[in-house]
Amino acid sequence: MNKELLKKSQSLIALFVLCLAISILSDKFLTANNLWNVLRQISVNVCISVGMTLVVLTAGIDLSVGSVLAFTSAVCAGLLTKGIAIEPFDLLIGFTTLGGILAALLIGLLIGIFNGWVITRFSLPPFVVTLAMLTIARGATMLYTEGMPISNLGASFEFIGSGWLIGIPVPVWISLVVVAIVVFISKKTTFGRYIYAIGGNEKAAFLSGININNIKLAVYGIAGMMAAVGGVLVSSRLNSAQPNAGTSYELDSIAAVVIGGTSLSGGIGSVTGTVIGATIIGVLNNGLVLLNVSPFWQQVVKGLVILLAVIIDQKSKKK
Amino acid sequence: MLKAINISKSFPGVKALNEVNLTFYPSKVNAILGENGAGKSTLLKILTGVYTDYEGEILLNGQPVKFKSIKDAQQAGIAIIHQELNLIPALNIVENLFLGQEIRNNWGLLDTPKMTQITKELLAKLELNVSPNTLVQNLKVGEQQLIEIAKALLADAQVILMDEPTSALSDKEIENLHRIIAGLKKEGKTIVYISHKMDELFKIAETYTVMRDGNSIDAGEMSQTTEQDLIRKMVGREVLIQKKQGNTNITKDLLSIRNFTLPHPTLKNRNLLDNISFNLKEGEILGIFGLMGAGRTELLETIFGLNVTKVQGTISIDNREVSIKSPKDAIKHGMAFVTEDRKTEGLVLGMNVASNISLTTLPENSLLNEKSEKQLAKDYISTLAIKTPSAQQLCVNLSGGNQQKVVLAKWLATNPRILMLDEPTRGIDINAKNEIYEIIKKLASEGKSIIIVSSEIPELLALADRILVMSEGKLKAEFSADEANEDKLLKAAI
């Protein structure tokens, strides 16, 4: 417990130092406008990454989240604009904003469960299975959208990505709720305990009577659904679903998990750590833009920060 | 001669070694005895250059030495054969032997013929009749250990430290190892031998040093001492293992296994379990004896629902046939299984004591109740006398005996009717062993039925009401507590 706290305070300090440095270098950083902007931007990664955290805690990985984000946002947009046409009956099912969103979340959940099913049923490495899903879901997105953006998704949908509620951007509300729910699940429920146990020692967990496969199905399902939440946020912000949305988001998400102190070998880490990790990445991105650093250099810097985080993590483990 | 003078070593909060003095003589097997936590491993780590910050002096052949690294110690001629072997299973014998010290030819490429030749000579010397190109994963444990010894010989080590080398070997392999050790002795090598097995030490060792709580308590010639004497020095008090009187009050059948057959995964005409049938009575302690590979662990695993797709046979509880398809089903039917390896199968080492104990009994799809978890942990920490600073301590930080008690606790928490124990006292010290024996006896007196698998005959004689002997997957013999003795059990097992 203390170790976890220490780790979290380490990354919190890193975040604080980062904010301090940027605010000294740029007077635009500490403006309300900019800070809300940062929080709005990271909300997508936060949602994806908390799902990813659960997967990584079981010693798994989900590389398909970026593609699932694109697919679910495309389907959501398609349902909102075109609905489902059942031609033989000359029937058209239209979707309300809520209906479209729920459909997207359901699809994300199902894709995730499918990932989990393949992984557990055939005892395959999660890396390979979700890598395949990365390609499949991206291809499906292209097929569904015919490679074109789907736009004009309606004012109420746009509100989700761009609106404000009680002085706080709606996406920030959503990510807060998502984080609260997943933190609760991971720390206060039997399911959450099982996730840690499976990642810590799968054999011991199995022998203790835990149904490993069901837990994994659920974990990958949640990760898929969180990707869909990200998909809704992204497309509502742009009021348009882009077929290439979410490309390489899985990497940002894994980076957030790792920077947040979750071990890729499972069993150790926390959702709150991941939130801090995602915030560090978001602030870093923002700071580099404010400082007019070229986008190419931004990538290099981001990679170096990930390396640094892992090195520090490793060092503190040895102590 | 290797001499350690006044060696002390502290870790934060613990003094692991306190002015330890030891002398190891060439051409002799030098035994180190001590319970877990006595400081043996720490001492070995200092002698092999793992720990470099310590107080005191090490003399090698009269010269003071101070190893700065593992490599340093190796170059000085000190080799260690660990309890857990350090070989790479997917590489062959030659590749393993020469790992990090490959011989190259004039082109800078691997000189495989030369390395193979040297390997052949070493294998011949160790009487190991396998091809140098055999993958290590295809060798038996005993053979793998000989490869470790070959590595030490290749490095021309003068001092060879062996940490519980026989804990995973069959009797035949042990005999072979002892013969090879005798050969090494003749060549003037200094052998340092750590073991918990007394009879073995009296067979092969010339000198002994007893360690207790980080101190070297006593040293001398094996021929001048007795088993009772050594045990007394190790634990600081007299321990007697008494033979159990048969319990005749138990009559009611609880568990009944019929015609268990489990085919070997790769060999066609072999069965891991071969038509095994037996009954377990209520309140009975049933011992199962057998050598490594006799199928004892497979039997327990199969009863616990691990080999569902492959096994034939039936399980009945209270005379009703039950279907057990997973550990979960087994637990539902009142079974508990304390596995052989507490680190890989028993515990989630990175979780704390409380979470490990509650793992088997958490309510499904529900919120955690931290209060009741804490209470559960507290109860078992006191009833089983688990030594831990708190219930929040991570299991990885506990000693072997206490880890084993945590595993026991998590299974007792399920309130099982049938408790299966696989080598419950392997690698734990004598005090903890006796505590676990007491717990087992108490559970049986409370009406629980217990199956205990063990390689240690005295342990079975002290505990079991009835002993089954297995060999090559078959049930070979059955003895009541009154009939059983060491000779009979061994004869039946071979």
Side-chain angles (χ1 to χ4, degrees):
Chain A
M1 280 300 157
N2 283 334
K3 237 183 202 167
E4 208 173 88
L5 269 180
L6 182 80
K7 213 179 240 175
K8 238 176 260 168
S9 53
Q10 266 178 6
S11 37
L12 266 180
I13 291 167
L15 177 59
F16 180 74
V17 171
L18 186 66
C19 290
L20 197 71
I22 297 172
S23 58
I24 291 170
L25 293 171
S26 161
D27 50 4
K28 284 182 210 126
F29 179 70
L30 278 184
T31 59
N33 223 343
N34 183 58
L35 289 180
W36 284 129
N37 200 14
V38 171
L39 288 179
R40 202 202 318 261
Q41 278 165 359
I42 64 172
S43 57
V44 175
N45 193 19
V46 165
C47 290
I48 300 173
S49 301
V50 294
M52 181 73 82
T53 308
L54 299 187
V55 173
V56 172
L57 280 174
T58 66
I61 195 115
D62 188 349
L63 298 179
S64 69
V65 286
S67 300
V68 172
L69 178 150
F71 184 65
T72 50
S73 74
V75 172
C76 180
L79 293 179
L80 290 179
T81 50
K82 294 178 283 194
I84 300 174
I86 304 174
E87 271 155 25
F89 299 101
D90 208 12
L91 199 65
L92 181 76
I93 305 172
F95 279 78
T96 60
T97 302
L98 184 64
I101 292 170
L102 289 179
L105 298 190
L106 182 68
I107 290 167
L109 179 73
L110 291 177
I111 295 176
I113 289 178
F114 179 77
N115 277 337
W117 179 75
V118 177
I119 289 165
T120 52
R121 172 69 181 76
F122 302 101
S123 310
L124 293 174
F127 188 97
V128 181
V129 173
T130 57
L131 181 66
M133 183 53 78
L134 176 149
T135 310
I136 295 168
R138 181 66 62 187
T141 311
M142 293 300 170
L143 286 172
Y144 186 82
T145 60
E146 294 168 339
M148 304 292 282
I150 304 174
S151 303
N152 294 326
L153 309 176
S156 58
F157 189 70
E158 198 180 356
F159 177 75
I160 294 168
S162 312
W164 293 71
L165 208 66
I166 333 179
I168 293 177
V170 177
V172 178
W173 277 118
I174 292 176
S175 59
L176 281 176
V177 170
V178 163
V179 167
I181 293 173
V182 181
V183 166
F184 180 79
I185 287 175
S186 69
K187 290 290 178 193
K188 297 288 176 193
T189 67
T190 302
F191 172 63
R193 174 67 57 76
Y194 285 175
I195 290 174
Y196 279 89
I198 290 172
N201 187 343
E202 186 166 326
K203 184 113 195 252
F206 175 63
L207 287 168
S208 299
I210 296 172
N211 190 329
I212 308 272
N213 290 356
N214 282 359
I215 303 289
K216 283 191 178 170
L217 282 189
V219 163
Y220 283 92
I222 291 173
M225 192 158 82
M226 289 302 143
V229 172
V232 170
L233 289 179
V234 168
S235 51
S236 61
R237 176 73 180 147
L238 300 171
N239 199 14
S240 160
Q242 306 283 334
N244 60 355
T247 309
S248 82
Y249 275 25
E250 61 280 351
L251 300 182
D252 270 358
S253 157
I254 294 166
V257 171
V258 170
I259 292 175
T262 296
S263 158
L264 283 176
S265 47
I268 297 166
S270 67
V271 174
T272 41
T274 297
V275 174
I276 298 171
T279 313
I280 289 177
I281 295 176
V283 169
L284 192 67
N285 277 338
N286 178 259
L288 294 172
V289 171
L290 289 180
L291 299 175
N292 283 324
V293 177
S294 105
F296 305 141
W297 273 112
Q298 287 180 25
Q299 295 190 26
V300 175
V301 172
K302 213 159 76 181
L304 290 174
V305 168
I306 295 172
L307 269 185
L308 191 71
V310 184
I311 291 168
I312 292 172
D313 186 44
Q314 190 66 20
K315 284 231 159 168
S316 66
K317 244 186 237 160
K318 274 187 184 154
K319 277 177 196 166
Chain B
M1 185 161 32
L2 182 65
K3 212 171 159 126
I5 303 167
N6 291 335
I7 303 276
S8 296
K9 163 90 187 157
S10 298
F11 295 105
V14 205
K15 189 137 201 186
L17 293 179
N18 186 21
E19 305 201 345
V20 167
N21 286 289
L22 290 134
T23 309
F24 303 127
Y25 302 92
S27 302
K28 283 185 179 171
V29 173
N30 304 271
I32 306 180
L33 295 96
E35 298 184 337
N36 286 0
K40 292 170 301 184
S41 322
T42 311
L43 181 73
L44 287 189
K45 283 184 178 156
I46 288 172
L47 292 176
T48 51
V50 178
Y51 294 147
T52 51
D53 53 329
Y54 58 90
E55 293 158 44
E57 203 175 16
I58 298 172
L59 297 180
L60 185 59
N61 299 325
Q63 298 294 316
V65 287
K66 175 121 189 154
F67 304 131
K68 290 189 226 48
S69 66
I70 299 174
K71 196 139 203 180
D72 227 16
Q74 280 170 350
Q75 274 162 359
I78 296 182
I80 180 158
I81 288 146
H82 290 280
Q83 199 173 354
E84 276 116 30
L85 301 173
N86 282 325
L87 297 168
I88 300 174
L91 295 184
N92 70 27
I93 298 177
V94 180
E95 288 159 343
N96 265 289
L97 272 184
F98 284 88
L99 198 63
Q101 46 181 345
E102 288 82 0
I103 300 176
R104 300 203 192 147
N105 61 22
N106 295 335
W107 301 89
L109 301 175
L110 292 174
D111 191 349
T112 310
K114 192 168 175 195
M115 290 190 282
T116 309
Q117 187 51 39
I118 296 174
T119 306
K120 263 187 193 154
E121 286 161 18
L122 283 170
L123 292 179
K125 190 170 168 188
L126 297 175
E127 301 172 39
L128 188 53
N129 194 14
V130 294
S131 153
N133 296 320
T134 315
L135 296 186
V136 162
Q137 64 195 12
N138 295 333
L139 296 175
K140 294 190 196 103
V141 187
E143 294 171 334
Q144 293 186 9
Q145 202 155 39
L146 293 181
I147 303 302
E148 289 274 16
I149 294 178
K151 242 168 134 176
L153 294 180
L154 183 67
D156 198 26
Q158 291 309 305
V159 181
I160 302 177
L161 312 171
M162 299 186 179
D163 190 3
E164 296 210 42
T166 55
S167 62
L169 300 193
S170 73
D171 280 14
K172 213 176 145 198
E173 288 173 322
I174 292 174
E175 215 172 275
N176 192 31
L177 179 70
H178 287 172
R179 205 173 55 241
I180 282 156
I181 288 174
L184 296 174
K185 230 159 56 175
K186 265 190 208 136
E187 290 178 26
K189 311 257 186 225
T190 307
I191 311 285
V192 178
Y193 202 92
I194 293 182
S195 175
H196 281 120
K197 299 183 184 169
M198 287 288 172
D199 46 346
E200 163 174 279
L201 293 179
F202 277 97
K203 224 188 279 170
I204 66 161
E206 277 86 16
T207 78
Y208 70 86
T209 306
V210 176
M211 294 183 66
R212 187 172 79 220
D213 302 329
N215 297 291
S216 41
I217 296 292
D218 185 37
E221 303 272 322
M222 283 304 274
S223 55
Q224 309 289 318
T225 185
T226 64
E227 185 168 334
Q228 280 303 322
D229 187 43
L230 287 177
I231 291 178
R232 208 189 61 238
K233 281 170 183 152
M234 278 164 65
V235 298
R237 64 181 166 84
E238 200 89 32
V239 183
L240 271 176
I241 293 183
Q242 272 181 344
K243 194 167 173 230
K244 170 151 184 160
Q245 298 295 314
N247 187 346
T248 47
N249 296 336
I250 40 184
T251 48
K252 196 175 154 235
D253 275 338
L254 176 59
L255 172 78
S256 145
I257 303 295
R258 284 290 166 269
N259 309 105
F260 254 33
T261 298
L262 179 69
H264 193 283
T266 49
L267 301 176
K268 259 205 168 150
N269 43 13
R270 258 209 68 191
N271 288 328
L272 290 177
L273 298 177
D274 200 341
N275 201 21
I276 288 190
S277 303
F278 67 90
N279 291 345
L280 174 70
K281 295 186 169 61
E282 216 153 67
E284 180 181 42
I285 304 181
L286 178 66
I288 298 182
F289 177 70
L291 303 176
M292 291 279 291
R296 304 166 305 171
T297 299
E298 287 80 0
L299 177 61
L300 296 192
E301 283 179 351
T302 307
I303 295 173
F304 206 60
L306 258 70
N307 301 314
V308 216
T309 51
K310 290 159 262 166
V311 73
Q312 292 161 22
T314 60
I315 304 178
S316 305
I317 295 175
D318 293 328
N319 295 319
R320 262 209 321 252
E321 195 173 322
V322 293
S323 148
I324 292 177
K325 293 203 163 66
S326 68
K328 202 175 172 173
D329 290 346
I331 293 167
K332 258 187 223 145
H333 283 102
M335 292 186 185
F337 183 20
V338 175
T339 43
E340 184 174 6
D341 189 333
R342 55 186 164 268
K343 288 193 177 142
T344 62
E345 298 173 332
L347 293 172
V348 184
L349 288 171
M351 290 201 325
N352 64 33
V353 173
S355 308
N356 267 290
I357 293 179
S358 66
L359 200 57
T360 47
T361 48
L362 290 176
E364 255 184 76
N365 301 323
S366 150
L367 301 185
L368 295 172
N369 184 341
E370 277 171 43
K371 232 189 197 166
S372 70
E373 270 188 76
K374 244 185 212 158
Q375 191 53 47
L376 185 76
K378 233 172 124 187
D379 289 350
Y380 279 106
I381 286 172
S382 78
T383 52
L384 300 185
I386 301 172
K387 277 182 214 139
T388 171
S390 80
Q392 308 305 316
Q393 177 75 317
L394 298 184
C395 283
V396 70
N397 296 330
L398 299 185
S399 75
N402 286 304
Q403 286 181 345
Q404 189 68 349
K405 285 183 189 170
V406 174
V407 179
L408 209 51
K410 91 172 193 187
W411 287 115
L412 294 181
T414 65
N415 193 21
R417 297 177 70 196
I418 301 163
L419 177 62
M420 302 195 284
L421 305 157
D422 195 357
E423 300 278 7
T425 63
R426 158 169 293 176
I428 65 179
D429 62 57
I430 292 189
N431 267 334
K433 261 186 193 181
N434 280 323
E435 284 173 11
I436 286 177
Y437 295 159
E438 288 312 313
I439 294 166
I440 292 172
K441 283 187 210 162
K442 185 157 166 278
L443 291 170
S445 71
E446 288 164 4
K448 297 204 189 302
S449 305
I450 292 165
I451 303 179
I452 173 170
V453 157
S454 177
S455 307
E456 292 183 38
I457 296 179
E459 179 166 294
L460 292 175
L461 293 178
L463 288 173
D465 298 305
R466 196 157 55 101
I467 301 175
L468 305 176
V469 181
M470 286 183 74
S471 171
E472 292 179 338
K474 292 188 184 71
L475 219 48
K476 276 289 163 66
E478 177 180 337
F479 302 98
S480 69
D482 303 325
E483 327 173 278
N485 64 31
E486 201 140 346
D487 269 9
K488 284 186 192 168
L489 289 178
L490 256 181
K491 258 184 209 142
I494 292 167

